[in-house]
C-alpha cells in the first residue's frame, strides 16, 4: 500500500544549481504534506511543509509546490549546496495523526 | 533547540527476547509516535499515542508490540518476543497539539535481532 511514492531513488546536482525532488501520492484525502531530510545515523529532520489549501510554500532556499489535481508534490532547493547532500523523504497526512512516508530520494550535490 | 532523544542507539538481541526502546519526547509535545525503517525500505508508521492511550496503529503493530508512557517524560516501545524481521531502525517522534504540526524525530535505535 504505497500511498506516497518517490520514483527517483537518487539525484545528482552541481553545486549552485537547482535540485528538484518529486513525490506523487494517491490518497486525495491527504491534507498536509511535509519534506524531511535525513543524514546517515540520524533521524529525519523536518524541512518544510504545506497545507492542502495552498500550492506553494517557501522558506529560504527551500520551496515546496503542491499540485492537487496531479497529486504531485515537489521540493526545490536553490541554490544547492554540498551540505544538502542527504536522503529526502516526502510525507503526507490524512486528517488525524498518521503520516505516510515515501521511500526517499538520495540527493548528492557535487562541489 | 529541544529535541527528541532515544536510547539506546543500538540494541542487539537474540530472537525471542524482549526489548524495550526508550524515548524522551520534546517536553511540550502531546502526540507521540513510533516509526520504523527496515534497511533500504521506507519509513513505516507503527503507532501514535495521545492522552495516555493509543490513538492509531498500523498492521505492523501486532500483539507483540506495546507502548507505554510510564512517567511524565519517557515513552517506550516494547517488543515482547523479537523476530529476525524486527531488525530495523526504530524512530520515536513527537508533535505539538496544534493543527498541521510536523513530527520531530529522534536519531533512532538500531535494533538487530540475531
Amino acid at each position: 500500500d504505497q500511498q506516497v511514492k518517490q520514483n527517483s531513488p537518487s539525484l545528482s546536482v552541481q553545486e549552485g544549481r537547482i535540485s528538484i525532488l518529486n513525490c506523487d501520492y494517491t490518497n486525495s484525502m491527504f491534507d498536509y504534506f511535509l519534506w524531511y531530510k535525513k543524514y546517515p545515523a540520524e533521524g529525519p529532520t523536518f524541512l518544510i511543509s504545506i497545507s492542502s489549501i495552498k500550492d506553494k510554500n517557501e522558506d529560504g532556499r527551500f520551496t515546496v509546490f503542491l499540485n492537487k489535481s496531479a497529486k504531485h508534490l515537489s521540493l526545490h532547493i536553490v541554490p544547492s549546496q554540498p551540505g544538502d547532500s542527504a536522503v529526502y523523504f516526502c510525507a503526507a497526512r490524512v486528517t488525524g495523526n498518521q503520516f505516510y512516508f515515501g521511500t526517499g530520494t538520495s540527493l548528492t550535490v557535487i562541489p | 533547540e529541544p529535541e527528541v532523544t532515544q536510547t539506546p542507539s543500538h540494541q542487539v538481541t537474540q530472537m525471542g527476547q524482549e526489548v524495550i526502546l526508550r524515548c524522551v519526547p520534546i517536553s511540550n509535545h502531546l502526540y507521540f509516535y513510533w516509526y520504523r525503517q527496515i534497511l533500504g525500505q521506507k519509513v513505516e508508521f507503527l503507532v501514535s499515542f495521545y492522552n495516555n492511550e493509543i490513538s492509531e496503529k498500523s498492521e505492523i503493530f501486532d500483539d507483540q508490540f506495546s507502548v507505554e508512557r510510564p512517567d511524565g517524560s519517557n515513552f517506550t516501545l516494547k517488543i515482547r518476543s523479537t523476530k529476525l524481521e524486527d531488525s530495523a531502525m526504530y524512530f520515536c517522534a513527537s508533535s505539538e497539539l496544534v493543527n498541521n504540526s510536523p513530527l520531530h524525530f529522534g536519531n533512532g535505535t538500531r535494533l538487530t535481532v540475531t
Side-chain angles (χ1 to χ4, degrees), chain B residues 85-99:
Chain B
E85 54 265 38
D86 293 327
S87 295
M89 281 291 290
Y90 287 80
F91 293 106
C92 174
S94 66
S95 67
E96 295 181 78
L97 185 62
V98 293
N99 201 24

Side-chain angles (χ1 to χ4, degrees), chain A residues 14 24 32 44 48 61 63 81 94 108 110:
Chain A
Q14 286 288 123
D24 297 297
Y32 182 49
I48 191 168
R61 296 186 298 115
T63 303
Q81 299 172 354
V94 177
T108 301
I110 304 164

Side-chain angles (χ1 to χ4, degrees), chain A residues 1-4 31-32 34 36 38 41-46 49-52 89 93 95-103, chain B residues 31 33 35 37 41-45 48-50 55-58 89 91 95 98-108:
Chain A
D1 180 18
Q2 188 75 8
Q3 298 198 44
V4 179
D31 66 348
Y32 182 49
L34 311 92
Y36 283 84
K38 186 180 181 303
E42 294 185 12
T45 301
F46 170 69
S49 64
I50 188 167
S51 163
S52 60
F89 293 95
R93 186 200 69 187
T95 302
N97 54 15
Q98 182 172 159
F99 291 76
Y100 296 84
F101 283 77
T103 51
Chain B
Y31 277 105
Y33 309 78
Y35 281 78
Q37 185 181 25
Q41 298 185 25
K42 64 178 178 176
V43 176
E44 299 176 292
F45 170 77
S48 59
F49 190 87
Y50 169 69
S55 55
E56 290 183 67
K57 62 182 181 179
S58 70
M89 281 291 290
F91 293 106
S95 67
V98 293
N99 201 24
N100 292 350
S101 176
L103 302 182
H104 294 267
F105 286 86
N107 282 335

